[in-house]
Amino acid sequence: MDADSLLLSLELASGSGQGLSPDRRASLLTSLMLVKRDYRYDRVLFWGRILGLVADYYIAQGLSEDQLAPRKTLYSLNCTEWSLLPPATEEMVAQLSVVKGRFMGDPSYEYEHTELQKVNEGEKVFEEEIVVQIKEETRLVSVIDQIDKAVAIIPRGALFKTPFGPTHVNRTFEGLSLSEAKKLSSYFHFREPVELKNKTLLEKADLDPSLDFMDSLEHDIPKGSWSIQMERGNALVVLRSLLWPGLTFYHAPRTKHYGYIYVGTGEKNMDLPFML
Amino acid sequence: MEDSTSPKQEKENQEELGEARRSWEGKTAASPQYSEPESSEPLEAKQGPETVRQSRSSRPWSPQSRARTPLGGPAGPETSAPAPLSLREPSSTPSPPAPARQDLAAPPQSHRTTSVIPEAGTPYPDPLEQSSDKRESIPLHTSQSERNTFQQSQQPKPHLCGPRDVSYNNAKQKELRFDVFQEADSNSDCDLQLPAPGGSEGAPSMLETTIQNAKAYLLKTSSKSGFNLYDHLSNMLTKILNERPENAVDIFENISQDVKMAHFSKKFDALHNENEMLPTYEIAEKQKALFLQGHLEGVDQELEDEIAENALPNVMESAFYFEQAGVGLGTDETYRIFLALKQLTDTHPIQRCRFWGKILGLEMNYIVAEVEFREGEDEEEVEEEDVAEERDNGESEADEDEEDELPKSFYKAPQAIPKEESRTGANKYVYFVCNEPGRPWVKLPPVIPAQIVIARKIKKFFTGRLDAPIISYPPFPGNESNYLRAQIARISAGTHVSPLGFYQFGEEEGEEEEEVEGGQNSFEENPDFEGIQVIDLVESLSNWVHHVQHILSQGRCNWFNSIQKNEEEEEEGEEEDEEKEEPDYIEQEVGPPLLTPISEDLEIQNIPPWTTRLSSNLIPQYAIAVLQSNLWPGAYAFSNGKKFENFYIGWGHKYSPDNYTPPVPPPVYQEYPSGPEITEMDDPSVEEEQAFRAAQEAVLLAAENEESEEDEDEEDDYD
């Protein structure tokens, strides 16, 4: 959610139950302003909160002018002092797959994972147990990256692409209409498109190149991993991800207000197919 | 001369103008394109609304000023006098010079109808108006109207644009512009009309022709949409000038799209929005009813005040504390839930009620209220138990009917563990749910041990509809309302905690070790509770205790011994694991007794079962202690030392770091005693059959031979 409209956004996203306490809210309002100034971001998003056993991580992201450029992620333990996180790499994500369980809440905590590795010594081949240590910070980075790639969404029309390349916020975005708001196809993943090129030519012909340049939610696997609900009659549409429980996206139709927030344990729900 | 007459003429002209303007406005009202100029005029005119009219009424004025300048003034109107006369309809002509000026003032309707009025042109009337400052912001439409009014068939003149720009700000050159206008008007007239009467004044130059062609092209109507570019551009520019967005050039295309869409949207308004907004209005009506309910019950107020003392909890207060912990539904929503709870307590005979929490679902969510009825009030019992038992026993019964023909199966369905009585154990409280505050509350049926046992083995999302079936393995006995109730029971048993000492056992109970059914499950508030320091609550988990009975793996809180008379046969009917299957004794399941501190809770793979926090590190003296359950994510409890409350918000599932594995179906059961009746044998092959038959025949033959021999012997004997 945009740091500029933090209070309203929190109010709209409160249907999921987990929000922020007043002191965190107050500190966020001030500290995000300062972050924006110090790092010279175009937009600062409050990404959410990852619950740890000892402490919670509060995550914010900064965007530059080009909305689809890689975002800078910052974390804080007290909503006042923010530290920049390194960008996610492939190996980080690969490493992460072996770590399970809750986050500790301490960024320097190290997870230990024993691996069996084949070691060649001369002619003998035997397996050795190697203990791999993964720092929690790394895990944090990869989890945030995974969540962003998987479930960060924006409504169709909120961003538009210029012929020069960069994507901009669409200032004439007036919100989705009610009938559009209930369809999964009006929401896009907020990331570089992955599946667009797989569409048939016929489908591509219908797309508007300035608006439809990202993947829509329609073809997400597993099907049914999004729950769309209308709250307050038809005045608010809320999408909750079932794959990463805790991610809530809200949008008030016919208005410009939209955003997403993640409040959860930072673990993927691998049991989703059993639960549907 | 002209000066003296000018005031009078001006007045007349203004009258004419007024008339003309009205007629002009009448015209513009007809088409939507004109509406914009009308609205834009008052907005944009810098000198106030009068200016706008001034711009029109400046027509009489400008001739006046021009009249002052000796040069082209009189010549212009004079020469053009005959032409407009023929064309002008509505206005009267008092005198020749006057009409000349009035020409300028009164736009002939015929011209106007044919000419396209909203022409996106450069700001025209500025030269007309008195101010010498730049008037670029003058609404285009007024300028157009200005220009249009001048589009009386004036003399043709080269070049609409050039002289206009040049002589823009110069008051002196008004008269020059006047010429320009005359010519320009005649030019534009020529564009649209059949040979304008005044068009014979001069041969059109190359430039002029180009302009005319260009304008004609712009005015060409699109065959697809019926628009033309000229209109569209003028609409767009009007919109931009009205709204003044920043960096308009960047969003130009979007504005263009918006203008195009605006032509269509109005027609569908009435039908479209009504359908979409209906649910909003419905829910708003229902919630309004919530707010009004307080006023309806004026008579019974006293009665209710007595009873309602304990009934309604202070939801807002708890919500305030939970907000400190970062948990909550938002103040408005909570208040509506508060009112809905009040409605619940008003309509049902409720002793105590509590806002249990919210369970999220796929299509709709559930708001759950935990309720304790008054003594003897809840006599509604759903006949669920029988259904479950019938399912289990159906198989054996069916077999027994056909005892004579089929082998009897010695499978005896495990005896269903009976559900606990209301007000005891897992059924201690009754739960009501609703999807949204304002909607009616639905009572959930009491929970059966079988349901709890199976609920432990499956993991399903709630859809939000209480009658949705639960399709799972092992098959869940019931639908979503039962599953919901079972999960609520599990969550309550696992996560409802209170500070140590808040509750105490009743006086008349025996020791905690007694295994009397129902002996351990009563507690009451401790009137002498003095509160615990918040710091202590946070630091040590032993300061919190469970105040809901633990559910045994049997599915009940109080042990039910299913062994009755036939102890041997009841062996199979057990669902507990790790059972020593001694025929005459089943080990009783024991759970942690009531009011055990939560420090005794088991860890989940090295993760502590509870996380404690202070709500705020910045102001610790007023902070509260917050407990989060790691076993049931979404379960919270707070205490400020004296008060406490539990709350749940989440999807309704237990946490497990490992992935869920569905249980494996059991192996095929030996139902019947093996014996020749049911043991399968292969059918004999052809050779075997033949051999068998041959053997039989041989035997038969042998028997016959013997008989025949005996007969023969007998016959021989008689001989």
Side-chain angles (χ1 to χ4, degrees):
Chain A
M1 54 178 65
D2 244 330
D4 300 331
S5 53
L6 190 68
L7 292 178
L8 175 64
S9 311
L10 283 174
E11 179 70 31
L12 291 175
S14 62
S16 304
Q18 314 243 14
L20 293 177
S21 55
D23 66 339
R24 297 285 183 230
R25 263 210 304 268
S27 17
L28 263 186
L29 282 172
T30 38
S31 59
L32 286 180
M33 285 292 132
L34 294 175
V35 160
K36 189 169 175 178
R37 177 200 72 183
D38 292 338
Y39 289 87
R40 294 204 189 88
Y41 290 133
D42 204 54
R43 256 171 90 195
V44 175
L45 302 179
F46 177 58
W47 186 90
R49 176 158 80 119
I50 293 190
L51 307 171
L53 291 175
V54 172
D56 295 340
Y57 294 104
Y58 295 87
I59 317 286
Q61 288 189 328
L63 279 82
S64 52
E65 181 71 29
D66 180 7
Q67 305 288 316
L68 275 189
R71 310 191 260 280
K72 309 273 190 308
T73 318
L74 303 108
Y75 80 96
S76 158
L77 290 163
N78 55 6
C79 278
T80 317
E81 290 140 10
W82 296 86
S83 336
L84 197 59
L85 282 174
T89 59
E90 293 286 332
E91 14 168 327
M92 277 192 205
V93 177
Q95 265 189 341
L96 167 71
S97 52
V98 297
V99 180
K100 286 195 286 196
R102 297 280 304 271
F103 274 86
M104 258 308 153
D106 175 14
S108 52
Y109 178 82
E110 296 196 341
Y111 295 94
E112 292 183 352
H113 170 70
T114 52
E115 265 182 16
L116 293 176
Q117 274 194 8
K118 288 200 175 161
V119 178
N120 285 335
E121 272 196 19
E123 292 169 355
K124 291 188 211 167
V125 178
F126 57 90
E127 295 185 355
E128 242 187 46
E129 275 196 10
I130 297 188
V131 176
V132 177
Q133 293 201 323
I134 305 168
K135 283 185 66 172
E136 175 141 311
E137 211 176 71
T138 320
R139 186 178 176 204
L140 190 63
V141 166
S142 23
V143 159
I144 295 177
D145 187 60
Q146 279 190 324
I147 293 180
D148 266 345
K149 288 212 163 68
V151 289
I153 57 181
I154 55 168
R156 178 177 184 271
L159 299 184
F160 75 99
K161 196 173 182 136
T162 55
F164 305 113
T167 24
H168 296 287
V169 175
N170 185 359
R171 281 169 35 218
T172 56
F173 175 59
E174 301 258 324
L176 298 173
S177 68
L178 265 173
S179 53
E180 278 178 26
K182 294 186 195 166
K183 291 191 245 171
L184 271 183
S185 54
S186 358
Y187 300 99
F188 291 149
H189 285 282
F190 192 21
R191 54 152 204 239
E192 293 289 338
V194 168
E195 288 173 28
L196 258 190
K197 46 189 176 296
N198 295 340
K199 288 196 168 204
T200 63
L201 274 180
L202 213 57
E203 286 174 350
K204 278 195 216 172
D206 286 332
L207 299 180
D208 180 354
S210 67
L211 291 182
D212 293 303
F213 54 96
M214 289 180 280
D215 297 327
S216 91
L217 292 190
E218 257 184 325
H219 306 293
D220 266 7
I221 294 165
K223 203 155 179 198
S225 63
W226 288 95
S227 125
I228 296 196
Q229 285 181 14
M230 307 295 296
E231 294 195 359
R232 307 184 190 185
N234 273 351
L236 184 66
V237 59
V238 176
L239 272 81
R240 293 200 182 93
S241 166
L242 304 176
L243 193 57
W244 291 93
L247 182 104
T248 311
F249 170 86
Y250 62 88
H251 173 53
R254 299 183 182 279
T255 69
K256 286 173 107 165
H257 304 298
Y258 67 89
Y260 63 89
I261 184 173
Y262 178 85
V263 179
T265 60
E267 288 166 294
K268 196 167 182 177
N269 179 17
M270 300 297 287
D271 309 330
L272 183 60
F274 291 113
M275 295 169 73
L276 288 175
Chain B
M1 171 194 88
E2 285 173 342
D3 286 339
S4 56
T5 54
S6 50
K8 179 181 133 222
Q9 285 165 356
E10 198 166 324
K11 192 165 159 237
E12 285 169 346
N13 287 338
Q14 277 175 345
E15 281 168 30
E16 299 284 358
L17 254 188
E19 203 186 334
R21 194 184 335 137
R22 259 173 269 125
S23 53
W24 188 86
E25 285 175 13
K27 281 260 184 281
T28 57
S31 76
Q33 295 163 341
Y34 296 120
S35 60
E36 279 169 333
E38 287 305 311
S39 56
S40 63
E41 283 165 348
L43 290 175
E44 291 299 320
K46 276 194 185 155
Q47 288 179 357
E50 277 313 299
T51 325
V52 169
R53 273 154 233 137
Q54 271 295 348
S55 61
R56 289 213 190 92
S57 56
S58 65
R59 278 166 236 141
W61 163 85
S62 44
Q64 178 187 5
S65 65
R66 282 182 214 114
R68 292 199 198 105
T69 62
L71 284 178
E78 298 293 340
T79 49
S80 59
L85 270 175
S86 57
L87 297 168
R88 190 174 19 100
E89 294 155 17
S91 42
S92 55
T93 61
S95 60
R101 279 169 220 132
Q102 283 169 352
D103 291 344
L104 312 171
Q109 289 177 347
S110 57
H111 279 252
R112 214 180 320 113
T113 45
T114 50
S115 72
V116 180
I117 297 211
E119 296 176 20
T122 56
Y124 226 120
D126 293 351
L128 302 179
E129 270 149 29
Q130 211 161 19
S131 67
S132 54
D133 53 331
K134 283 199 183 157
R135 297 285 223 93
E136 287 167 352
S137 60
I138 283 292
L140 298 168
H141 289 266
T142 54
S143 60
Q144 293 161 12
S145 58
E146 290 290 324
R147 202 158 31 89
N148 286 338
T149 62
F150 286 100
Q151 281 170 17
Q152 319 320 312
S153 51
Q154 308 288 347
Q155 295 162 4
K157 216 243 179 195
H159 213 29
L160 287 169
C161 306
R164 234 186 286 152
D165 294 342
V166 165
S167 57
Y168 196 70
N169 293 327
N170 209 324
K172 177 202 159 207
Q173 293 171 4
K174 285 197 187 100
E175 145 230 4
L176 195 58
R177 283 178 229 133
F178 177 82
D179 288 341
V180 169
F181 295 144
Q182 289 176 326
E183 289 145 2
D185 297 331
S186 55
N187 273 342
S188 38
D189 274 351
C190 294
D191 283 347
L192 311 165
Q193 297 219 353
L194 310 170
S200 54
E201 256 80 7
S205 70
M206 276 301 296
L207 198 46
E208 194 184 289
T209 337
T210 333
I211 291 169
Q212 288 176 24
N213 289 342
K215 193 164 169 192
Y217 168 72
L218 288 179
L219 284 165
K220 213 159 51 163
T221 314
S222 149
S223 52
K224 245 190 354 177
S225 58
F227 296 147
N228 64 46
L229 191 53
Y230 205 60
D231 295 343
H232 186 61
L233 283 173
S234 59
N235 285 345
M236 275 185 54
L237 287 173
T238 313
K239 184 171 171 171
I240 293 179
L241 287 174
N242 284 342
E243 294 177 3
R244 304 296 177 112
E246 272 192 32
N247 296 339
V249 64
D250 295 332
I251 50 174
F252 194 64
E253 294 82 14
N254 296 24
I255 296 179
S256 168
Q257 269 186 339
D258 287 344
V259 169
K260 279 190 190 157
M261 290 202 295
H263 284 290
F264 295 112
S265 63
K266 290 205 169 72
K267 291 178 213 159
F268 290 99
D269 249 3
L271 288 176
H272 228 232
N273 288 339
E274 228 184 82
N275 265 342
E276 292 177 337
M277 293 308 275
L278 265 181
T280 323
Y281 297 142
E282 272 176 30
I283 197 78
E285 287 282 330
K286 289 209 182 92
Q287 291 180 346
K288 183 177 166 191
L290 272 184
F291 285 94
L292 285 178
Q293 65 174 345
H295 298 293
L296 299 172
E297 319 216 14
V299 184
D300 297 331
Q301 207 91 60
E302 302 171 25
L303 258 181
E304 291 191 322
D305 281 347
E306 285 180 35
I307 299 165
E309 274 175 9
N310 294 333
L312 197 57
N314 194 346
V315 171
M316 297 310 287
E317 190 187 358
S318 317
F320 165 75
Y321 283 115
F322 276 116
E323 200 193 343
Q324 305 291 314
V327 177
L329 292 172
T331 322
D332 305 324
E333 191 67 16
T334 320
Y335 197 79
R336 270 179 237 129
I337 294 176
F338 195 16
L339 285 175
L341 283 175
K342 177 166 189 299
Q343 187 192 50
L344 183 66
T345 51
D346 289 343
T347 46
H348 293 82
I350 288 176
Q351 172 87 15
R352 231 188 318 254
C353 158
R354 203 175 72 81
F355 177 38
W356 186 90
K358 179 172 174 180
I359 292 193
L360 303 171
L362 294 181
E363 296 166 25
M364 286 186 285
N365 306 322
Y366 292 113
I367 295 179
V368 182
E370 183 183 80
V371 149
E372 199 179 312
F373 278 117
R374 264 180 256 144
E375 301 289 329
E377 288 282 352
D378 56 334
E379 296 306 326
E380 317 161 39
E381 297 225 344
V382 186
E383 296 299 311
E384 280 197 46
E385 198 179 325
D386 300 337
V387 172
E389 283 186 32
E390 274 174 26
R391 273 185 58 196
D392 291 336
N393 296 331
E395 209 179 321
S396 39
E397 278 176 22
D399 283 350
E400 285 175 32
D401 287 342
E402 304 172 32
E403 198 169 344
D404 302 325
E405 293 166 11
L406 293 179
K408 181 176 173 203
S409 148
F410 55 65
Y411 169 73
K412 278 274 186 319
Q415 184 191 6
I417 313 251
K419 73 168 197 223
E420 292 178 290
E421 294 296 311
S422 341
R423 297 174 184 279
T424 61
N427 284 322
K428 182 158 187 184
Y429 296 106
V430 179
Y431 291 91
F432 281 84
V433 294
C434 77
N435 286 123
E436 241 179 311
R439 295 207 195 270
W441 289 94
V442 179
K443 181 174 158 191
L444 286 180
V447 69
I448 296 175
Q451 291 170 350
I452 293 197
V453 167
I454 298 194
R456 281 178 169 146
K457 296 186 184 154
I458 65 175
K459 196 171 174 186
K460 283 279 188 186
F461 277 120
F462 294 99
T463 61
R465 290 167 286 124
L466 282 176
D467 51 358
I470 305 271
I471 302 168
S472 65
Y473 183 78
F476 187 79
N479 57 15
E480 183 155 313
S481 55
N482 304 102
Y483 184 46
L484 182 64
R485 179 68 180 82
Q487 290 293 94
I488 293 176
R490 287 173 71 199
I491 293 174
S492 301
T495 63
H496 278 25
V497 293
S498 56
L500 177 71
F502 193 90
Y503 287 117
Q504 65 182 15
F505 285 117
E507 293 294 321
E508 59 270 25
E509 300 302 328
E511 299 142 12
E512 295 179 20
E513 314 305 319
E514 271 190 30
E515 289 161 342
V516 177
E517 282 191 35
Q520 299 172 9
N521 63 355
S522 65
F523 54 83
E524 58 190 26
E525 272 188 47
N526 180 356
D528 303 326
F529 180 58
E530 286 170 357
I532 306 182
Q533 289 292 317
V534 170
I535 303 286
D536 292 337
L537 284 173
V538 171
E539 283 177 1
S540 158
L541 283 179
S542 50
N543 285 322
W544 294 84
V545 297
H546 287 280
H547 61 260
V548 177
Q549 269 185 306
H550 177 258
I551 301 184
L552 307 168
S553 34
Q554 193 185 34
R556 288 170 56 109
C557 296
N558 302 309
W559 167 254
F560 174 78
N561 202 339
S562 51
I563 296 183
Q564 286 162 5
K565 298 172 206 167
N566 280 334
E567 296 170 357
E568 293 131 6
E569 284 185 0
E570 302 304 323
E571 237 180 353
E572 304 92 50
E574 279 146 18
E575 298 154 321
E576 302 89 357
D577 42 356
E578 298 165 15
E579 211 59 35
K580 295 174 203 159
E581 293 194 3
E582 294 174 40
D584 44 342
Y585 175 71
I586 304 175
E587 192 170 315
Q588 181 172 1
E589 289 174 21
V590 180
L594 200 60
L595 298 189
T596 36
I598 61 179
S599 47
E600 310 280 326
D601 285 357
L602 298 169
E603 282 187 356
I604 325 152
Q605 284 197 10
N606 306 328
I607 301 174
W610 294 91
T611 304
T612 57
R613 299 268 168 81
L614 260 183
S615 67
S616 155
N617 287 324
L618 300 171
I619 309 180
Q621 55 263 48
Y622 293 112
I624 55 170
V626 178
L627 266 189
Q628 288 176 25
S629 169
N630 295 328
L631 189 55
W632 292 96
Y636 293 90
F638 85 87
S639 171
N640 68 348
K642 293 258 170 62
K643 276 196 265 258
F644 84 96
E645 184 62 65
N646 296 294
F647 188 71
Y648 181 83
I649 169 112
W651 295 94
H653 300 114
K654 201 170 187 173
Y655 171 75
S656 94
D658 297 319
N659 300 336
Y660 166 75
T661 27
V664 185
V668 179
Y669 193 77
Q670 275 279 32
E671 282 185 73
Y672 302 93
S674 36
E677 299 148 348
I678 60 165
T679 314
E680 272 189 29
M681 288 183 298
D682 288 332
D683 280 344
S685 64
V686 179
E687 292 86 5
E688 285 179 17
E689 259 189 43
Q690 283 179 350
F692 184 67
R693 210 181 301 146
Q696 270 195 335
E697 281 174 8
V699 167
L700 262 177
L701 210 55
E704 278 178 15
N705 283 344
E706 280 185 15
E707 284 181 15
S708 58
E709 278 177 9
E710 284 177 9
D711 287 342
E712 283 173 5
D713 286 343
E714 286 181 2
E715 284 173 9
D716 286 341
D717 280 347
Y718 287 134
D719 285 340

